[in-house]
Amino acid sequence: MIIGDIADGLTRQVERAGGMVSGAFFEPVIRLGVTGLSRAGKTVFITSLVANIMNRARMGGLRAAGDGSIRAAYLQPQPDDTLPRFDYETHLAALTGPTPHWPESTRAISELRLSLRVQPTGLIAGMRGARNVHLDIVDYPGEWLLDLGLMEKDYASWAEDTLARIADRPQAAEYLALLSTTDPDAKLDEPQAQKLAAAFTRYLVQAREDGYSDCTPGRFLLPGDLAGSPVLTFAPLPRGHDARGSLGREFARRFEAYKREVVKPFFRDHFARLDRQVVLVDALGAIHAGPRAVEDMRRAMGDILGAFRPGRNNFLSQILRGRRVERILFAATKADHLHHSQHARLTAIMEALLADARRRADYAGARTAAMSIAALRATTEDRVSHGGAELDVVRGVLLETGKRAAFHPGLLPEDPAHLLVPAREGAEGWLGEDYAIMRFAPQPMSLKPGEGPPHIRLDRAAEFLFGDRL
Ligand code: GDP
């Protein structure tokens, strides 16, 4: 064990003791992590969740909202001075303004504190007075979670593994061509280093777009304010002689710096402090993209769940010190693309994927659940006659053309295995059914007093995630 890790561990223990004291005697804090790969729906989820907790008329499924225990909800300055604040007001204005549009997506970590004034109702009302509960919502890219696997690797083994994996991927052709003219023992030349890093980053972006989830280093995909800095200017090279001043030696040094300065602070300062976690998954998008994307989603869910498994990783065990996330929700987003008659099938698919992820990650401990939700409902439901049959559809305004359309995305199977088995067996396409996807624009809203934006099961998601603490 290195000294830095012992010191980190001690700091965390002291912090935890502090956290528990303030939790028990003063005002409890729930730290809720919101993650998911890019475009999964994190920004829309947080914006709509906060708006719907401030205006609770559509939140009957969150017990404390339904029975009136939540007396007030208001935004407060967040506790972490160095984290960007989640830009709630701008995102809400985008969604609910006179010409609604989707907000800018998550690019980096951000935080928002929502404080609730809670007064229990019913029998225990007289016994317990009103108290404040703080919900600290931490939004971070799912891509960053996948970096956990790097902590136990050195540069040479990471580079070797990576080069073996990408050897026959067409997305990596440009990088591999550049590599064939690169000598790891040559003297470090910064423009050459930048060229390699840029070509490797282009590979990662393309691979991610084509559905691969083994795209590390994750910060190369969403660099935030580290773009162009030396910690992000390296790439995998074949093993060299590790000569002083060589390209290979400098890349190995930068890889260690990446672990130390980028990956470790994120896990130690943010990830290790979460109490509850929601992982958003664009399952309909993956089903539309085909069996390969579904199989990739299955693997990614296992990898993500593995990151929450205490004891899986030495580094993580040291910073967690027995602390663990208590509840994890995997939610399929954008369920408003489906008529409600199909929601149970989407949920069944998520449940099957979650059961598989738990098995593969050998996961025990936190309560987990799977759901299908829409943080912001952009459609209405209808039934139309089509070729002599009645068809359940959703209607909305298409994002691309601005035209109104009725949409039937294809019938999900009752048995999830009908999708998951072909995906696992590497099928090229789905048999029998075509799954379409369309992007709908958010609709103008006329909200009554007390109402938040329309959603599907956001209240149930909230109840699972933190309802027990209110
Ligand atoms: P992030 O990258 O995880 O922050 O993803 P966003 O929250 O920005 O969502 C990405 C895109 O997914 C949005 O621009 C919308 O097009 C779509 N989207 C997200 N949530 C919903 C939803 O509840 N319903 C619908 N119809 N589309 C959604």
Side-chain angles (χ1 to χ4, degrees), residues 133-440:
V133 178
H134 305 292
L135 184 65
D136 288 346
I137 302 174
V138 181
D139 172 27
Y140 66 94
E143 283 81 358
W144 295 8
L145 271 186
L146 303 175
D147 272 349
L148 187 62
L150 299 186
M151 291 308 292
E152 309 217 307
K153 286 189 179 161
D154 61 11
Y155 173 72
S157 57
W158 170 73
E160 199 174 321
D161 290 355
T162 305
L163 291 175
R165 256 185 291 115
I166 71 177
D168 53 5
R169 291 188 187 172
Q171 297 87 346
E174 182 211 344
Y175 176 69
L176 295 172
L178 186 60
L179 202 58
S180 67
T181 62
T182 303
D183 174 7
D185 291 323
K187 196 166 159 307
L188 168 73
D189 170 48
E190 197 57 44
Q192 173 72 357
Q194 285 169 7
K195 246 205 241 161
L196 285 161
F200 186 64
T201 305
R202 280 195 291 279
Y203 153 70
L204 289 174
V205 170
Q206 195 55 52
R208 177 72 223 124
E209 222 157 82
D210 293 349
Y212 286 100
S213 69
D214 56 355
C215 301
T216 59
R219 204 63 72 100
F220 282 38
L221 290 165
L222 290 168
D225 56 4
L226 291 174
S229 65
V231 277
L232 300 195
T233 310
F234 65 89
L237 297 177
R239 208 177 275 264
H241 295 100
D242 204 27
R244 263 183 167 217
S246 67
L247 187 65
R249 179 124 165 198
E250 177 61 13
F251 276 10
R253 191 193 69 73
R254 291 181 189 184
F255 179 81
E256 290 305 321
Y258 179 82
K259 280 163 47 180
R260 189 177 62 244
E261 313 285 347
V262 178
V263 183
K264 188 169 174 179
F266 165 68
F267 280 94
R268 181 193 57 208
D269 301 339
H270 306 303
F271 181 80
R273 295 166 59 205
L274 299 175
D275 303 306
R276 309 288 166 102
Q277 175 69 53
V278 55
V279 181
L280 302 174
V281 182
D282 184 4
L284 288 172
I287 293 170
H288 162 66
R292 281 247 332 266
V294 168
E295 175 59 7
D296 189 69
M297 173 173 72
R298 182 183 78 84
R299 267 193 265 126
M301 278 177 61
D303 291 350
I304 289 175
L305 197 61
F308 291 94
R309 190 190 135 190
R312 178 195 105 143
N313 178 302
N314 277 336
F315 157 71
L316 205 58
S317 308
Q318 274 167 26
I319 58 168
L320 289 175
R321 301 248 148 195
R323 183 192 171 111
R324 62 170 60 172
V325 165
E326 300 150 331
R327 291 182 179 207
I328 307 174
L329 173 66
F330 282 85
T333 51
K334 313 178 195 179
D336 57 328
H337 285 87
L338 290 181
H339 190 273
H340 76 268
S341 53
Q342 290 212 58
H343 287 178
R345 296 180 178 200
L346 181 60
T347 305
I349 292 169
M350 289 302 291
E351 278 167 352
L353 286 166
L354 175 58
D356 176 86
R358 286 189 69 111
R359 221 172 12 253
R360 273 178 314 118
D362 190 15
Y363 189 83
R367 269 186 69 184
T368 52
M371 273 182 203
S372 36
I373 65 166
L376 193 101
R377 180 173 209 151
T379 63
T380 51
E381 297 191 336
D382 202 358
R383 175 166 275 202
V384 297
S385 310
H386 182 77
E390 293 284 295
L391 205 58
D392 287 333
V393 296
V394 294
R395 287 186 184 278
V397 170
L398 300 180
L399 197 60
E400 276 73 23
T401 60
K403 294 212 168 88
R404 291 208 133 261
F407 173 62
H408 177 73
L411 209 55
L412 294 174
E414 211 160 323
D415 179 357
H418 291 180
L419 290 184
L420 304 185
V421 171
R424 195 171 317 190
E425 289 173 348
E428 288 295 322
W430 303 120
L431 277 181
E433 188 78 61
D434 269 335
Y435 298 103
I437 195 94
M438 280 178 163
R439 289 190 66 200
F440 291 106

Side-chain angles (χ1 to χ4, degrees), residues 36-45 102-106 333-334 336-337 373-378 399 439-440:
L37 298 177
S38 327
R39 318 286 305 159
K42 300 178 287 297
T43 309
V44 177
F45 177 87
W102 297 110
E104 290 240 350
S105 295
T106 299
T333 51
K334 313 178 195 179
D336 57 328
H337 285 87
I373 65 166
L376 193 101
R377 180 173 209 151
L399 197 60
R439 289 190 66 200
F440 291 106

